[in-house]
Amino acid sequence: MKSTVSSSLLNLKYLLNPNLRRRLISLTSVSIPKLSLSSITNHTTLNNLFPSSATSGLRTICSSTASSFKPEQARVPSALPLPAPPLTKFNMGLCQLSVTTDKKRNISHAKSAIEEAASKGAKLVLLSEMWNTPYTKGSFRAFAEDIDAGGDASPSTAMLSEVSKRLQVTIIGGSMPEKSGGRLYNTCCVFGSHGELKAKHRKIHLFDIDIPGKITYKESRTFTAGETPTVVDTDVGRIGIGICYDIRFQELAMMYAARGAHLLCYTGAFNMTTGPLHWELLQRARATDNQLYVATCSSARDYGSCYVAWGHSSLVGPFGEIIAKTEPEEAIIIAEIDYSLLEQRRSSLPLNKQRRGDLYQLVDIQRSHTWSIVPLYLTVKEQVPYACGEEARTCEGPICRREHTHNNASRDSVGPRTDTVESFTA
């Protein structure tokens, strides 16, 4: 056994950087006890297998090797540290609703669902994709709203704003058809607990698929793709937003994680073909890959509809565990989010420290070129505009490390930060 391990370690030294060779050579003289299957299955630790001198050397090797992998370069720019959320623990409501051809009924129904979720303690409420319109091309155009105009031009967002302010809850407003500049978008609106429109996410990846004998659908024939990933700071943490097909693209989720998101929210309407195959799988994958929470909300299943949704809205934890899930029918469920688990999971399984920046990189193009920081709340309860971008002279490169405030004209650092929460816009 000793000779086998010695030979393996000697061969490995030629694959690792030269600084480690002396340590590897010194380890080849270590006698390693013979391992039995039972000792492995009983989770025998390194301390029981190796003398203390050997384990010390191995730890040093692992540390040096991890450093040589340059994990901080696996994401460009480097990942932001996970910010301290305003709330560590809170309840979230998922409203899986049925949709009819009566738009006023759909709006009223969603309003009642949000009120019910809030009455059960939800501080964050997520609605489904196209909650105010049937999932048909004709309905999309007929039910589309001018969100930027607001008021009577957008009764759906007017309702969301009023309810969020009255109930003091944050609402991820599912998605709805938005008309703007002669184009149609599949858009999710995020409203803060004061009724303000905090973010507007236009679906980035359009659902164009052709599964022979199953389903053919070309969303691009109706909608225009969005151009901007959306991360928004709220009263319940930093949230990355996606719509349905967006969940299939792990790069978007990785980007959100690198921007410091605590939670990813995907509104969706997977169909009866892709739903049973991929809906839960994708949610758990996005949560596990990035070690954060993932919440999804689908429309309720209606076999009488032209488009039949799979349902099964869910909340998934940072270890890929299903925390709560609906059945296909209409339902409102409340589930608890505990952000303290994020650091716990990341410490137990330190993926961010083990990425191979020497082999691959995820490049956040927008953050690489322009990334502004705007304070959301100050200790003196007022807003002070400042920015930190590529032209900043005293910041650490193009990304502000959030340790100081700025002179608006020169963008120089003018002292320690006084704000407590920041809102990022790319």
Side-chain angles (χ1 to χ4, degrees):
M1 181 67 176
K2 175 181 176 180
S3 61
T4 302
V5 174
S6 299
S7 175
S8 298
L9 287 172
L10 284 170
N11 289 333
L12 278 173
K13 72 178 183 179
Y14 297 108
L15 301 177
L16 300 172
N17 77 60
N19 294 331
L20 302 179
R21 291 178 182 173
R22 289 192 300 275
R23 298 191 185 98
L24 283 171
I25 292 170
S26 67
L27 282 173
T28 60
S29 62
V30 175
S31 295
I32 301 176
K34 191 172 184 179
L35 297 179
S36 66
L37 180 60
S38 62
S39 68
I40 295 173
T41 55
N42 287 330
H43 308 288
T44 307
T45 64
L46 274 177
N47 288 333
N48 294 330
L49 296 175
F50 297 96
S52 60
S53 59
T55 56
S56 175
L58 283 173
R59 291 191 190 98
T60 304
I61 289 173
C62 292
S63 176
S64 300
T65 303
S67 177
S68 70
F69 291 162
K70 302 178 181 179
E72 72 285 350
Q73 294 183 21
R75 289 169 170 172
V76 180
S78 298
L80 296 170
L82 195 67
L87 289 177
T88 301
K89 188 181 295 186
F90 63 93
N91 287 331
M92 179 178 190
L94 305 178
C95 299
Q96 180 172 287
L97 306 177
S98 60
V99 179
T100 71
T101 57
D102 185 339
K103 184 177 179 179
K104 289 184 177 180
R105 177 267 178 198
N106 295 336
I107 294 174
S108 176
H109 191 48
K111 178 181 179 181
S112 298
I114 296 169
E115 291 172 338
E116 180 178 338
S119 71
K120 294 179 179 178
K123 291 295 183 183
L124 173 66
V125 178
L126 176 61
L127 298 180
S128 62
E129 183 181 21
M130 296 300 174
W131 58 269
N132 70 345
T133 175
Y135 210 96
T136 65
K137 182 185 298 186
S139 297
F140 294 154
R141 296 193 180 280
F143 286 39
E145 300 181 8
D146 187 340
I147 295 172
D148 293 336
D152 293 339
S154 185
S156 298
T157 58
M159 180 276 289
L160 295 177
S161 175
E162 184 277 323
V163 173
S164 62
K165 182 177 181 179
R166 173 165 52 86
L167 301 177
Q168 296 185 323
V169 296
T170 299
I171 299 175
I172 311 296
S175 82
M176 54 183 284
E178 176 198 11
K179 56 185 178 183
S180 178
R183 296 180 177 180
L184 211 59
Y185 298 92
N186 187 344
T187 301
C188 174
C189 294
V190 180
F191 285 88
S193 57
H194 300 286
E196 74 280 22
L197 177 60
K198 298 185 70 66
K200 187 171 69 172
H201 176 79
R202 289 169 171 169
K203 188 174 183 179
I204 294 174
H205 304 94
L206 298 183
F207 185 55
D208 286 6
I209 68 164
D210 184 9
I211 302 177
K214 295 288 186 178
I215 181 173
T216 298
Y217 193 89
K218 302 291 183 182
E219 193 174 21
S220 60
R221 293 176 179 172
T222 304
F223 292 103
T224 299
E227 300 292 337
T228 306
T230 305
V231 177
V232 56
D233 276 340
T234 74
D235 289 349
V236 290
R238 184 168 296 169
I239 303 175
I241 306 296
I243 299 175
C244 203
Y245 202 50
D246 285 340
I247 198 173
R248 289 188 177 273
F249 298 88
Q250 65 268 39
E251 297 88 351
L252 182 63
M254 292 171 65
M255 182 189 302
Y256 287 163
R259 292 185 180 188
H262 302 99
L263 165 69
L264 305 184
C265 286
Y266 294 96
T267 178
F270 269 47
N271 57 63
M272 296 298 291
T273 299
T274 58
L277 287 172
H278 301 149
W279 180 234
E280 182 178 307
L281 172 69
L282 289 166
Q283 297 171 56
R284 298 184 68 186
R286 299 295 84 84
T288 306
D289 289 348
N290 299 289
Q291 298 176 306
L292 40 64
Y293 282 91
V294 170
T296 61
C297 192
S298 168
S299 301
R301 192 179 303 175
D302 179 3
Y303 286 106
S305 173
C306 295
Y307 183 94
V308 182
W310 172 243
H312 296 287
S313 304
S314 306
L315 176 64
V316 183
F319 227 44
E321 70 276 25
I322 299 293
I323 296 173
K325 182 171 69 173
T326 69
E327 294 301 322
E329 299 78 19
E330 185 170 89
I332 298 171
I333 60 172
I334 308 297
E336 184 180 78
I337 288 177
D338 183 356
Y339 286 143
S340 68
L341 292 179
L342 299 183
E343 287 294 353
Q344 179 182 324
R345 298 307 189 195
R346 293 179 182 192
S347 296
S348 301
L349 194 63
L351 300 181
N352 286 337
K353 297 179 181 178
Q354 298 169 334
R355 299 186 189 280
R356 292 293 301 269
D358 58 328
L359 298 180
Y360 50 75
Q361 293 180 330
L362 172 74
V363 180
D364 188 338
I365 294 173
Q366 290 182 329
R367 235 183 101 204
S368 296
H369 292 88
T370 175
W371 182 255
S372 62
I373 300 175
V374 181
L376 180 62
Y377 296 115
L378 303 186
T379 55
V380 293
K381 300 299 182 183
E382 62 176 305
Q383 290 193 4
V384 179
Y386 68 83
C388 183
E390 286 184 314
E391 299 174 2
R393 293 200 290 272
T394 58
C395 298
E396 295 180 29
I399 306 303
C400 175
R401 297 304 175 189
R402 309 182 309 171
E403 297 172 349
H404 51 260
T405 53
H406 305 82
N407 177 301
N408 288 332
S410 66
R411 295 192 173 187
D412 280 344
S413 169
V414 294
R417 288 174 48 192
T418 57
D419 58 302
T420 57
V421 181
E422 292 182 90
S423 176
F424 289 74
T425 56

